[in-house]
Amino acid sequence: MNWLKWHLYLAALCGLQMLLWIGSGLTLSLLDEDYLDANRYRAQSIQAPGIMAQHFTPGRVSLPADVTEVQLDNLLSRPVYRIELGERSMNLWADTLEPLVLDDALLRKIATASISAPLLDGMEYHPGDSIGFPDSAKVALFNAETDRNTRVLIDAQSGKLLAHKDKGSDLKELLLMLHFMDYAPGNGIAFNHIGIRLFALLTLLMVLSGAFVVWQRWQAGFYQIRFKRPILQAPTLIVLDTQGEELGRFNVGAYLLESINADAPLLPTQCGGGGSCGLCALVFTDNPPDATEADLNRLRGKVEQGHRLACQHGSYCGRVRLVNKAQERYWHKQQQSNEPLTSENV
Ligand code: FES
């Protein structure tokens, strides 16, 4: 497995989410709160019910046995009982104790009462899951006549006002979604949803793959500690062409590929040292270093003949040979284009 490639993909993914997190957080803190507020047309006054609620009387009208909570609410100036029955709930008009049944006209009245702007004709029904209210089975949506695309959302079964939304709150929801990685609908704003767990896992994998790449490189001699010694004979890295003719001598640096390409890119690469393109392959004519995983994956049987990827090995003293004519042509072309202009080559 090419760990460096996976590490780079994971780093790109985590880095992108990091940028989104910073960008969305910064935008949220810089935007005017008033612009994001969808409640500017919300009606302020709620009329108290003008009719008295009936009491539940054992023997005459009694509550179901499994009731867990009863609340007295107000809908269109009429009292309403909100009754919780464990996982279920029911709603009764409290003045008649009849079930609350809401048709389009009643829902429109509730929406109209909640907003100080006129509503447009027509309405839509949406499943609560699809519109950000997973606790509501069915949501009635009304558009209002404002310059901010204001919508009124009502729970179609209980008649409760769920929210006013507009272009400001849409933007806020988008920024919060990016900030909290809330890409799966119905997550809600929570810190432990599947998106966050997934990114936490990806970040962990990024760290582990990075650690593994460092370990592989350390094994390949990338991070050797060097003590200064008097240089007896330099340079000691010699590159030969495919016929064994010397092409150049190079100072030994920390990495083999960089030792050769320090002044000019004489050896081709396409993956930037990722160990996947295979363009930097060389034959080690003296003592080949131990083959790395990338060598084995990319060069397979040639490893036995001393082939190695230059980008996968640290400092090396000795002779290495180009493996094909294409490398040779590239080498000479690069050498020519990097030669200083003289009267002879002009
Ligand atoms: S630079 Fe691509 S494999 Fe070495």
Side-chain angles (χ1 to χ4, degrees):
M1 185 179 323
N2 188 333
W3 287 96
L4 181 61
K5 193 167 81 180
W6 281 107
H7 179 65
L8 293 176
Y9 286 150
L10 288 167
L13 211 58
C14 296
L16 178 67
Q17 181 53 51
M18 180 79 152
L19 287 178
L20 287 174
W21 180 70
I22 293 173
S24 54
L26 205 60
T27 312
L28 270 172
S29 60
L30 293 178
L31 275 176
D32 186 355
E33 281 225 356
D34 276 352
Y35 178 79
L36 302 176
D37 183 13
N39 292 315
R40 63 187 62 200
Y41 293 104
R42 192 131 169 187
Q44 296 302 324
S45 62
I46 297 171
Q47 290 222 331
I51 313 166
M52 291 294 287
Q54 282 199 44
H55 293 287
F56 289 99
T57 317
R60 203 165 62 89
V61 187
S62 47
L63 282 166
D66 54 346
V67 64
T68 53
E69 189 180 339
V70 179
Q71 276 186 2
L72 184 59
D73 199 1
N74 169 25
L75 196 60
L76 298 172
S77 302
R78 279 182 73 184
V80 170
Y81 282 126
R82 312 272 188 208
I83 302 170
E84 299 294 329
L85 306 145
E87 297 288 295
R88 295 180 301 121
S89 62
M90 61 189 267
N91 302 278
L92 302 177
W93 289 115
D95 48 358
T96 60
L97 297 182
E98 283 172 1
L100 181 73
V101 180
L102 298 170
D103 57 13
D104 293 3
L106 267 178
L107 287 166
R108 175 168 285 275
K109 268 191 182 177
I110 297 167
T112 306
S114 79
I115 190 165
S116 59
L119 295 182
L120 295 172
D121 290 340
M123 61 182 291
E124 296 162 21
Y125 285 106
H126 294 270
D129 273 351
S130 70
I131 203 166
F133 295 95
D135 292 337
S136 296
K138 195 170 162 194
V139 175
L141 185 148
F142 297 87
N143 288 294
E145 205 177 314
T146 69
D147 56 349
R148 290 176 56 89
N149 186 24
T150 308
R151 285 99 65 206
V152 181
L153 293 104
I154 310 279
D155 184 300
Q157 280 169 353
S158 68
K160 286 183 185 171
L161 175 67
L162 296 172
H164 282 192
K165 290 191 176 191
D166 66 7
K167 62 180 182 183
S169 65
D170 291 344
L171 177 63
K172 186 175 177 178
E173 279 178 18
L174 174 71
L175 292 170
L176 286 173
M177 180 193 77
L178 296 174
H179 197 66
F180 291 105
M181 305 172 219
D182 188 17
Y183 301 121
N187 274 337
I189 304 291
F191 281 101
N192 207 16
H193 60 69
I194 186 75
I196 288 188
R197 288 184 209 183
L198 187 68
F199 268 95
L201 185 67
L202 291 180
T203 309
L204 181 67
L205 289 176
M206 181 189 73
V207 171
L208 292 178
S209 58
F212 199 67
V213 168
V214 169
W215 182 74
Q216 276 185 326
R217 292 194 159 212
W218 178 71
Q219 285 220 317
F222 271 62
Y223 309 118
Q224 283 174 8
I225 300 169
R226 310 182 139 265
F227 298 101
K228 277 204 166 170
R229 289 198 199 125
I231 298 170
L232 300 175
Q233 193 185 354
T236 46
L237 171 64
I238 303 168
V239 181
L240 312 174
D241 68 11
T242 52
Q243 305 303 313
E245 295 294 321
E246 185 174 319
L247 284 170
R249 295 178 173 234
F250 299 87
N251 290 322
V252 175
Y255 309 116
L256 177 55
L257 180 62
E258 285 173 17
S259 303
I260 297 171
N261 283 355
D263 295 329
L266 298 171
L267 202 56
T269 75
Q270 202 172 58
C271 64
S276 60
C277 71
L279 294 180
C280 65
L282 294 170
V283 185
F284 288 66
T285 55
D286 298 333
N287 296 314
D290 289 342
T292 62
E293 204 172 325
D295 290 329
L296 294 169
N297 285 341
R298 189 67 214 170
L299 304 172
R300 300 176 194 274
K302 292 182 182 163
V303 165
E304 297 296 315
Q305 298 152 31
H307 288 234
R308 301 284 187 274
L309 296 171
C311 67
Q312 297 299 307
H313 294 275
S315 60
Y316 180 76
C317 307
R319 292 184 307 164
V320 291
R321 207 179 66 224
L322 301 186
V323 296
N324 55 44
K325 290 284 177 196
Q327 281 179 328
E328 238 173 67
R329 282 196 297 278
Y330 184 85
W331 184 289
H332 291 306
K333 199 168 140 211
Q334 291 299 111
Q335 219 166 25
Q336 276 167 13
S337 62
N338 281 289
E339 264 177 21
L341 288 179
T342 63
S343 55
E344 282 157 22
N345 62 15
V346 168

